[in-house]
Amino acid sequence: MSTSRRRMLLAAAVLSGIIGLAACSAAPGSSPAPTSSGPPAWVAGDVTPPEGRVIGTGMVLDAAGDVELCLGVVAESYPPQCSGIPVDGWTWDGVDGSDTSGDATWGMYAVYGTYDGRRYTITDPPIMLALYDSVAPVDPANGVEGTTPAADLARVQDELSATLGTDALSVWTERGYVWVQVVWDDGSLQDAVDDAYGDDVVLVTSALREID
């Protein structure tokens, strides 16, 4: 299937899921009420992965040889736990800044690699996050405050949380927008939420940043 065909199907699935959730609880002429359940209609693996190297920042967690890059929530336990991206090619040789407890080793790093939509493959030595000189992220809102009413933002946030499920690393409201962070979006999810809610209501950001 071509990339354009996948993106069309992806956008249609997200739009159908979001509109369906809203329609179930809305009366004609009224704003749809928030919903708290519904299957995710968007799958991160359907998005076209980045072509070159990317960089991700967060906790690298090695649990008995299974290495993950934690980009979302990390459980406050000892040792920590997360549901991250599986990492290939990781080694602790020559890497400082880690802690170990039992069969788990972890640390905070900026990690260079390639991402195929499922797994992250290391291409360069990692940098301790405390020593990483990060580039300020581009503001998708261009410094402009959103104008969507707070009640509508709350409804949209609830709908997207239910629709995207675990495919979203986080969903929150800030500066007059609903923000959605995912591992990677090639623009398909942003296009879909724009079609569903209008422009400048939902802003989608990727945790991974292209560097090539």
Side-chain angles (χ1 to χ4, degrees):
M1 183 183 296
S2 68
T3 297
S4 60
R5 177 62 175 167
R6 286 200 306 271
R7 291 187 63 171
M8 290 175 62
L9 292 176
L10 174 61
V14 176
L15 182 60
S16 175
I18 292 172
I19 292 176
L21 284 169
C24 288
S25 56
S30 64
S31 297
T35 181
S36 59
S37 63
W42 177 75
V43 180
D46 291 338
V47 171
T48 302
E51 295 182 358
R53 290 184 307 157
V54 293
I55 189 167
T57 57
M59 178 179 291
V60 174
L61 176 61
D62 180 352
D66 292 329
V67 183
E68 295 179 299
L69 174 59
C70 307
L71 298 172
V73 176
V74 176
E76 294 182 358
S77 57
Y78 194 85
Q81 302 177 59
C82 78
S83 295
I85 309 172
V87 173
D88 297 322
W90 180 268
T91 177
W92 293 104
D93 293 343
V95 177
D96 297 324
S98 65
D99 293 300
T100 299
S101 176
D103 59 2
T105 301
W106 66 94
M108 302 295 291
Y109 302 97
V111 183
Y112 296 87
T114 57
Y115 178 60
D116 66 2
R118 298 180 301 107
R119 304 186 70 86
Y120 199 86
T121 301
I122 302 299
T123 58
D124 300 75
I127 301 173
M128 287 178 56
L129 203 53
L131 303 178
Y132 175 62
D133 186 11
S134 62
V135 177
V138 175
D139 179 8
N142 295 315
V144 178
E145 296 292 315
T147 58
T148 304
D152 291 339
L153 291 176
R155 170 180 59 82
V156 171
Q157 179 180 348
D158 287 344
E159 289 176 1
L160 287 176
S161 294
T163 303
L164 298 178
T166 57
D167 285 336
L169 297 174
S170 57
V171 182
W172 74 99
T173 299
E174 184 180 353
R175 295 168 49 200
Y177 304 95
V178 174
W179 297 74
V180 178
Q181 186 176 59
V182 295
V183 174
W184 173 257
D185 180 34
D186 67 345
S188 299
L189 179 57
Q190 183 67 69
D191 289 344
V193 294
D194 285 347
D195 288 342
Y197 296 113
D199 294 343
D200 302 322
V201 177
V202 180
L203 300 178
V204 179
T205 64
S206 299
L208 299 179
R209 179 171 58 86
E210 288 184 291
I211 56 175
D212 289 336

